[in-house]
């Protein structure tokens, strides 16, 4: 939006001057990209740590469900279909997360 010079007050001039000074202080695109790469590396490390933690919890859950399944089978019963479906979804999510981490993607799917 262009404002005619005749209608500019001193306050507007100060605002424009401050804006032009701020524009000069912005980091160069290469610096932004470097920071972005550093942020990505940090997020990737955090995602890998979360994955390790979740993997241990998933293994414990699988063992507990397996034990329950064996006890139920001894009595001729089976697991609830909701529990079985949840176990399958957990396996799929963990496989997807592992594949993304191997490709170098963080939790947002960004490479």
């Amino acid at each position: 939006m262009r404002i005619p010079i005749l209608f500019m007050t001193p306050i507007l001039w100060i605002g424009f001057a401050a804006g032009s000074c701020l524009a000069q202080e912005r980091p160069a695109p290469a610096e932004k990209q470097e920071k972005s790469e550093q942020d990505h590396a940090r997020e990737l490390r955090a995602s890998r740590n979360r994955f390790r933690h979740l993997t241990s919890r998933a293994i414990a859950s699988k063992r507990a469900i397996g034990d329950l399944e064996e006890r139920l089978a001894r009595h001729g019963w089976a697991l609830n279909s909701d529990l079985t479906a949840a176990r399958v979804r957990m396996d799929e999510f963990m496989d997807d997360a592992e594949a993304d981490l191997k490709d170098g993607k963080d939790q947002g799917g960004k490479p």
Side-chain angles (χ1 to χ4, degrees), residues 21-42:
C21 291
L22 291 175
Q24 293 173 356
E25 294 175 10
R26 292 183 185 149
E31 291 175 10
K32 282 186 177 180
Q33 184 177 4
E34 182 179 315
K35 287 181 183 178
S36 175
E37 289 173 5
Q38 290 173 352
D39 290 341
H40 174 69
R42 188 177 313 115

Side-chain angles (χ1 to χ4, degrees), residues 1-2 12-14 25 39 43 58 65 67 75 77 79-80 84 92 100 102:
M1 176 175 153
R2 301 186 120 208
L12 287 175
W13 279 109
I14 292 170
E25 294 175 10
D39 290 341
E43 289 175 6
I65 291 171
D67 291 344
H75 297 287
W77 296 341
L79 278 178
N80 184 335
T84 303
E92 290 172 355
D100 284 347
K102 284 182 180 177

Side-chain angles (χ1 to χ4, degrees), residues 2 7 27 29 36 47 57-58 61 64 72 74 79 82 87 91 97 100 104:
R2 301 186 120 208
F7 296 109
S36 175
S47 293
R57 293 180 69 185
S61 297
L72 289 173
R74 281 187 225 136
L79 278 178
D82 292 341
R87 179 176 53 186
D91 288 339
D100 284 347

